[in-house]
Amino acid sequence: MFFNAHTYYSIKRNSDVAEPMRIVGALLADSALTGVISWTDLHDKTAIKDFSESLGKMKRC
């Protein structure tokens, strides 16, 4: 529910455009809220850096 609501809000707030990074942002925050990951892990600077670098290595479709 949380992910669907945040994704919908993001799309409606941005002129009906689904921006991939905003959707990832909704997914990460909701993962912490539901206990899949902890808030501490979500805000860990090393984890953020590693995640950012892994996104930079992804191929764009």
Side-chain angles (χ1 to χ4, degrees):
M1 169 65 179
F2 294 120
F3 175 69
N4 292 335
H6 286 130
T7 301
Y8 176 81
Y9 176 77
S10 176
I11 290 170
K12 289 301 175 187
R13 187 166 185 231
N14 293 293
S15 304
D16 292 329
V17 175
E19 295 178 12
M21 289 296 110
R22 287 187 182 271
I23 293 172
V24 169
L27 177 65
L28 291 175
D30 292 338
S31 295
L33 184 64
T34 58
V36 174
I37 58 176
S38 71
W39 286 105
T40 304
D41 291 335
L42 184 61
H43 294 96
D44 178 49
K45 289 183 180 184
T46 303
I48 293 169
K49 182 178 180 259
D50 292 344
F51 181 70
S52 176
E53 288 174 356
S54 68
L55 288 178
K57 295 176 184 175
M58 292 177 59
K59 292 182 180 179
R60 303 267 181 200
C61 296

